[in-house]
Amino acid sequence: MIETIQWTDDGVVMIDQTRLPNEEIFITCRTSDEVAHAIRTMVIRGAPAIGVAAAMGIALGMQQPDADIESICDTLSKTRPTAVNLFWAIDRMKKLHRSLAGRSAADMRAALAAEAQQIRLEDIAINRAIGQHGASLVPDHKTVLTHCNAGALATAGYGTALGVIRAAVEQGKQIDVFADETRPFLQGSRLTVWELLHDNIPTTLITDNMAGHFLKSGRIGCVVVGADRIAANGDVANKIGTYSVAVLAKENGVPFYVAAPTSTLDLTLASGDSIPIEERASLEVTHYSGTSVAPRGTVARHPAFDVTPNRYVTAIVTEKGIARAPYEQSLAGMLG
Amino acid sequence: MIETIQWTDDGVVMIDQTRLPNEEIFITCRTSDEVAHAIRTMVIRGAPAIGVAAAMGIALGMQQPDADIESICDTLSKTRPTAVNLFWAIDRMKKLHRSLAGRSAADMRAALAAEAQQIRLEDIAINRAIGQHGASLVPDHKTVLTHCNAGALATAGYGTALGVIRAAVEQGKQIDVFADETRPFLQGSRLTVWELLHDNIPTTLITDNMAGHFLKSGRIGCVVVGADRIAANGDVANKIGTYSVAVLAKENGVPFYVAAPTSTLDLTLASGDSIPIEERASLEVTHYSGTSVAPRGTVARHPAFDVTPNRYVTAIVTEKGIARAPYEQSLAGMLG
């Protein structure tokens, strides 16, 4: 299996997710600015993977003499606004840095590098635990619908939503997957289908606008998606289109599950209304691979995320277990 | 304004809708088989336009000595299964042919050619009437959301859903349009945006999976779409993704309007469950402009239409007026 992100002697190595599935190219970031650039340009994406990348970016930047952690963290924190795992990882690295005040520079560097690698390893273990909890929710002999890519590539490995699917398959459940292509960036067709083909899990690609049709057809047993930020009340920010899938699932009596590590919880926000939604370049909507798919002069919008109100969320699966409504209590309990 | 389809001395001339918006190329069909091929390959598409093309295809085929109307109609009837306007036009031409039994071949040819051109002219007049009826439903100072292309290009001219929008603008309403790109064939980005840019109607392109997000935002005053077939109970078959938009509109209290000529009504079907849904090549999902967007070996589904149950349809606008639930009565009344 291909690694999403690794700490090496040469720097932070990532598979370039903008080039998949046609090319499997690895890039090596040698400075924290290069890591920030990789996050901003979606060489690496997915909330947990962004968190790991930020931690490694800080550790990498701090290997330089006279490095300033505030400046490094400031640059990284401005790469993408929605996924809270980015800020969680930055906070964790800053806290460690403060706790090491007075130690030698060499000790500091080693400790930060070790912490970033530890965050990566923890993320894989967390995803395995999410998979174990979530697999019990997946109906046997049915199809699982997923949106975007919440797989190994969105994390340090194994995946959150795809971790649940992988664990269900490992438990012997006879399931197949429908993957929304997830315009405009096509994380579903380019990344999710690619991952599941590697694992020999039967997968069918559909366009986003087919999800409702198949949810109505009765073949979908449940929906499982990841998350970029979850508010205290259980409102979920995730890739644009998630809200639509959630409404269509509820309308058709299909359970809608969100799989995410507790680092995706942002209990400082009472509801999803205050989650910042990134607006990306409209060029990503009007063009594909440099080719225009719309007339010259087209105006396009590109909110990269949407917010699914908690009433559409059947359960939230974290490494600590399964949370159900009322989420104010169940989510607070998980962090408490 | 560019003509969708015209009867000329050289044959039936159509703008090639597979090449828009990057190229404005006209093709001339000189046989009924060439018209059938143009319908099958979506050089011309949109239920009313397909009906006009079929009528012209029959008239064209019958210009040949020894032409057999049954064989010509059989070939045309197998081009696409969902849009009932195709079968409506074939029936109308066959009826005329029967009524001319005993007349000279020259008279027959002239009458069929005149009828096909009459169907084209009627379609434009019908769309103007749909626009007049529908414009009253469009809230002023709000955004209209549309899916796929139910515009001039989907008809002989003016459009059904876009006819409603055009009429609202002509009445002085201050509206703008959000156009779903409509994967996989991108009728929204390639055709709807192109048409509305020509008319200087402010239009914003979004991906299909953004529609729910914007319906929730409150800026959308109504949804207007076309239809490929409407059953006696008001269930509506239309481009894949229409069902999802309808559910999301209802969930957010936004009226959902269907604009179509009465030739789209199929009162022989009690409900939408018996409408045949075309499954097109999966290559149209996995590839864009010949470039693969999914890994080698990807399995994809491609239902080209879905069925929106009548409970999501606020009103159906035809050239005869505005039909509301219960549709069994209101639609039968329109044809009666």
Side-chain angles (χ1 to χ4, degrees):
Chain A
M1 190 61 200
I2 280 168
E3 296 288 354
T4 305
I5 181 166
Q6 284 190 293
W7 179 269
T8 75
D9 290 345
D10 288 336
V12 177
V13 176
M14 308 170 185
I15 187 160
D16 185 346
Q17 300 193 30
T18 66
R19 311 287 282 272
L20 286 172
N22 296 324
E23 299 173 290
E24 297 180 7
I25 291 173
F26 291 84
I27 67 150
T28 304
C29 298
R30 293 187 170 83
T31 67
S32 61
D33 279 351
E34 287 179 8
V35 172
H37 185 258
I39 296 172
R40 200 179 303 113
T41 58
M42 295 175 74
V43 164
I44 190 161
R45 31 59 57 197
I50 289 173
V52 174
M56 288 190 178
I58 293 165
L60 190 64
M62 291 300 289
Q63 304 301 306
Q64 298 303 314
D66 307 322
D68 171 27
I69 194 162
E70 288 305 326
S71 150
I72 290 168
C73 291
D74 188 57
T75 300
L76 283 162
S77 70
K78 286 175 179 156
T79 50
R80 301 197 64 194
T82 304
V84 77
N85 311 62
L86 174 73
F87 309 102
W88 169 89
I90 291 171
D91 282 349
R92 179 162 160 179
M93 295 296 280
K94 273 187 176 174
K95 264 185 203 142
L96 175 69
H97 182 259
R98 278 196 299 275
S99 77
L100 296 170
R103 303 275 282 275
S104 75
D107 277 6
M108 175 76 80
R109 287 172 197 154
L112 290 170
E115 185 77 353
Q117 292 173 77
Q118 176 64 19
I119 289 175
R120 176 180 168 279
L121 290 174
E122 283 176 15
D123 186 61
I124 299 172
I126 283 168
N127 294 335
R128 293 253 170 209
I130 290 172
Q132 288 308 307
H133 293 302
S136 64
L137 300 172
V138 176
D140 207 354
H141 302 289
K142 295 284 275 184
T143 300
V144 179
L145 174 69
T146 189
H147 186 73
C148 196
N149 172 270
L153 290 165
T155 62
Y158 200 69
T160 51
L162 297 196
V164 169
I165 290 168
R166 289 188 163 104
V169 170
E170 287 162 14
Q171 290 179 8
K173 286 191 174 171
Q174 301 288 315
I175 56 172
D176 72 318
V177 177
F178 266 40
D180 287 351
E181 65 173 4
T182 318
R183 282 279 293 153
F185 207 65
L186 297 171
Q187 292 93 337
S189 46
R190 297 193 305 104
L191 309 178
T192 294
V193 173
W194 181 80
E195 277 196 30
L196 296 175
L197 274 174
H198 268 262
D199 280 10
N200 288 313
I201 296 174
T203 302
T204 302
L205 174 64
I206 59 173
T207 60
D208 300 295
N209 60 20
M210 294 174 192
H213 173 72
F214 287 110
L215 282 162
K216 180 155 72 86
S217 77
R219 73 171 288 168
I220 311 290
C222 71
V223 179
V224 188
V225 298
D228 288 81
R229 193 185 297 220
I230 301 172
N233 70 344
D235 289 353
V236 174
N238 191 45
K239 180 51 54 192
I240 187 74
T242 301
Y243 163 70
S244 296
V245 176
V247 170
L248 288 156
K250 186 168 192 189
E251 188 75 7
N252 289 285
V254 176
F256 179 86
Y257 300 120
V258 175
T262 52
S263 54
T264 306
L265 301 178
D266 183 356
L267 303 192
T268 68
L269 301 182
S271 83
D273 297 341
S274 25
I275 298 176
I277 298 296
E278 178 181 13
E279 181 91 17
R280 293 185 64 86
S282 63
L283 211 73
E284 294 180 351
V285 172
T286 55
H287 287 64
Y288 179 76
S289 286
T291 304
S292 175
V293 295
R296 199 181 298 269
T298 298
V299 173
R301 284 289 306 272
H302 185 185
F305 302 92
D306 59 26
V307 173
T308 300
N310 57 17
R311 65 183 177 278
Y312 302 105
V313 180
T314 311
I316 297 172
V317 186
T318 77
E319 72 277 18
K320 303 275 181 70
I322 298 171
R324 294 188 186 262
Y327 290 106
E328 281 83 356
Q329 286 90 315
S330 58
L331 294 180
M334 275 184 173
L335 285 194
Chain B
M1 190 60 200
I2 280 169
E3 296 288 353
T4 304
I5 181 165
Q6 283 189 293
W7 179 270
T8 75
D9 290 344
D10 288 335
V12 177
V13 175
M14 309 170 185
I15 186 160
D16 185 346
Q17 300 193 29
T18 67
R19 313 284 283 272
L20 287 171
N22 295 324
E23 298 172 289
E24 296 178 9
I25 292 174
F26 290 84
I27 67 150
T28 303
C29 298
R30 294 186 170 81
T31 66
S32 61
D33 279 351
E34 287 179 7
V35 172
H37 185 258
I39 296 172
R40 201 180 300 113
T41 58
M42 296 174 73
V43 164
I44 190 161
R45 29 63 54 198
I50 288 172
V52 174
M56 289 191 178
I58 294 166
L60 190 63
M62 292 300 290
Q63 304 302 306
Q64 298 302 315
D66 307 321
D68 171 27
I69 193 162
E70 288 305 327
S71 149
I72 290 169
C73 291
D74 188 56
T75 300
L76 282 162
S77 70
K78 286 175 178 157
T79 50
R80 301 198 64 193
T82 303
V84 77
N85 311 62
L86 175 72
F87 308 103
W88 170 88
I90 291 171
D91 283 350
R92 179 162 160 178
M93 295 297 281
K94 274 188 174 174
K95 263 184 203 143
L96 175 69
H97 182 259
R98 277 196 300 274
S99 77
L100 296 170
R103 302 276 281 278
S104 75
D107 277 4
M108 175 78 81
R109 286 172 198 155
L112 290 170
E115 184 78 352
Q117 292 172 77
Q118 176 64 19
I119 289 176
R120 174 180 169 279
L121 290 174
E122 283 176 14
D123 186 62
I124 299 172
I126 283 168
N127 294 334
R128 293 252 171 210
I130 290 172
Q132 287 309 309
H133 293 301
S136 65
L137 300 171
V138 175
D140 206 356
H141 303 290
K142 297 282 275 185
T143 299
V144 179
L145 174 69
T146 190
H147 186 73
C148 195
N149 172 269
L153 290 165
T155 62
Y158 200 69
T160 52
L162 297 196
V164 170
I165 290 167
R166 288 188 164 106
V169 170
E170 287 162 15
Q171 290 180 7
K173 286 192 174 170
Q174 301 289 312
I175 56 172
D176 71 318
V177 177
F178 267 40
D180 287 351
E181 65 173 4
T182 318
R183 281 280 292 151
F185 207 66
L186 298 170
Q187 291 94 336
S189 46
R190 296 192 305 104
L191 309 179
T192 294
V193 172
W194 181 79
E195 277 195 31
L196 296 176
L197 275 174
H198 268 260
D199 280 9
N200 288 313
I201 297 175
T203 302
T204 302
L205 173 66
I206 59 173
T207 61
D208 300 296
N209 60 20
M210 293 174 193
H213 174 71
F214 288 110
L215 281 162
K216 180 154 71 85
S217 76
R219 74 171 286 166
I220 312 289
C222 71
V223 179
V224 188
V225 299
D228 286 81
R229 194 184 296 220
I230 301 173
N233 70 343
D235 290 353
V236 175
N238 191 45
K239 181 52 51 192
I240 188 72
T242 301
Y243 163 69
S244 296
V245 175
V247 169
L248 288 156
K250 185 166 193 192
E251 188 75 8
N252 288 287
V254 176
F256 179 87
Y257 300 120
V258 174
T262 51
S263 54
T264 305
L265 301 178
D266 183 356
L267 303 192
T268 69
L269 302 182
S271 83
D273 296 342
S274 25
I275 298 176
I277 298 297
E278 177 181 13
E279 181 93 17
R280 292 185 63 85
S282 63
L283 210 73
E284 293 180 351
V285 172
T286 56
H287 287 65
Y288 178 75
S289 285
T291 304
S292 175
V293 296
R296 199 182 298 267
T298 297
V299 173
R301 284 289 305 273
H302 185 185
F305 302 91
D306 60 25
V307 173
T308 300
N310 57 15
R311 66 182 176 279
Y312 302 105
V313 179
T314 310
I316 296 172
V317 186
T318 77
E319 73 277 19
K320 303 274 182 72
I322 298 171
R324 295 186 185 266
Y327 290 106
E328 281 84 357
Q329 286 92 312
S330 57
L331 294 181
M334 274 184 173
L335 284 196

